[in-house]
């Protein structure tokens, strides 16, 4: 089934540890995004990529990094996790940065203790 | 700054009609989206408006007034499965998506 796959679906992590959330899409979409969703707040953009080989910072990029080596994969790395990074993380993609709706992965629930 | 406002929570009765409003203030406008998100799940696309007027899709309709910075999502013949959060998002002049905090819709029998 075409779509976006995220892994892991859930993770508990000690503060200070490094963590990579994986995201893969098979729709050949050019644009990909990482959002975090916290209770009472809207989706907040962490990083985005308009096309393979390029990335950009969103609204809340501090403490996170991304790479886009190819069209399909867009991993998100927390270099040294902190409790404020406890959240639900959604990866999404769209045909282009200015076209089409976003398709979301199922989310990764991360708890940093 | 850019801002999107929607009610935090609404309650409606099964079989009834409900209207969820969204007002926005953004730097430019390139379309407005509505998404549905069930608890613990990913948001899923419902509708897209870029021109003024009403877009109908089955039991769901979405309306846009660009001059007023206003949209609404209309849900008819409500079903229990419509209990979810409804997210309004605007694509601004730079094609960035600005998201509202979402409206939690509770359907009662």
């Amino acid at each position: 089934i075409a779509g976006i796959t995220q892994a892991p679906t859930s993770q508990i992590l000690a503060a200070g540890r490094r963590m990579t959330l994986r995201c893969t899409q098979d729709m050949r979409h050019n644009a990909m995004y990482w959002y975090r969703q916290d209770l009472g707040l809207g989706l907040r953009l962490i990083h985005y990529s308009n096309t393979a080989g390029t990335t950009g910072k969103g609204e809340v990029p501090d403490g996170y990094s991304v790479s886009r080596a190819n069209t399909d994969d867009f991993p998100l790395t927390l270099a040294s996790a902190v409790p404020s990074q406890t959240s639900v993380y959604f990866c999404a993609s769209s045909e282009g940065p200015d076209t089409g709706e976003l398709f979301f992965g199922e989310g990764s629930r991360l708890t940093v203790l | 700054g850019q801002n999107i406002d929607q009610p935090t929570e609404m309650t409606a009765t099964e079989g009834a009609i409900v209207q969820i409003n969204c007002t926005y203030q953004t730097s430019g406008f390139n379309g407005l989206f509505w998404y549905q998100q069930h608890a613990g799940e990913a948001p899923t696309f419902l509708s897209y408006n870029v021109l003024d007027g009403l877009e109908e899709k089955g039991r769901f309709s979405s309306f846009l007034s660009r001059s007023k910075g206003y949209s609404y999502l209309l849900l008819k013949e409500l079903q229990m499965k419509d209990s979810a959060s409804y997210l309004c998002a605007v694509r601004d002049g730079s094609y960035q998506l600005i998201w509202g905090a979402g409206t939690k819709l509770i359907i009662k029998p």
Side-chain angles (χ1 to χ4, degrees), chain B residues 42-97:
Chain B
T44 55
F45 171 75
L46 285 178
S47 68
Y48 172 68
N49 295 69
V50 66
L51 299 176
D52 290 350
L54 189 68
E55 294 281 342
E56 297 186 79
K57 193 184 295 185
R59 293 189 299 113
F60 292 8
S61 303
S62 56
F63 171 83
L64 174 67
S65 169
R66 288 172 296 170
S67 63
K68 295 182 179 179
Y70 169 70
S71 172
Y72 68 71
L73 180 69
L74 192 71
L75 291 73
K76 303 176 184 177
E77 302 170 13
L78 286 170
Q79 302 175 10
M80 297 303 292
K81 67 179 182 179
D82 297 330
S83 292
S85 289
Y86 292 85
L87 314 180
C88 174
V90 172
R91 189 167 266 156
D92 70 10
S94 303
Y95 294 96
Q96 296 295 314
L97 266 179

Side-chain angles (χ1 to χ4, degrees), chain B residues 11-30:
Chain B
T11 302
T13 304
E14 189 177 16
I17 299 173
V18 71
Q19 178 176 312
I20 302 173
N21 296 326
C22 170
T23 58
Y24 63 89
Q25 291 178 311
T26 58
S27 301
F29 178 84
N30 283 295

Side-chain angles (χ1 to χ4, degrees), chain B residues 31-47:
Chain B
L32 185 144
F33 297 82
W34 283 97
Y35 281 78
Q36 181 190 59
Q37 185 177 24
H38 285 101
E41 298 183 8
T44 55
F45 171 75
L46 285 178
S47 68

Side-chain angles (χ1 to χ4, degrees), chain A residues 35 37 40-43 45 90 97-102 104-105, chain B residues 33 35 37 40-43 45 87 91 95-97 99-101:
Chain A
Y35 287 93
Q37 188 175 42
L41 300 177
L43 288 163
L45 184 64
F90 286 102
D98 56 359
T99 58
E101 70 269 28
L102 267 62
F104 286 84
Chain B
F33 297 82
Y35 281 78
Q37 185 177 24
E41 298 183 8
F45 171 75
L87 314 180
R91 189 167 266 156
Y95 294 96
Q96 296 295 314
L97 266 179
W99 293 84

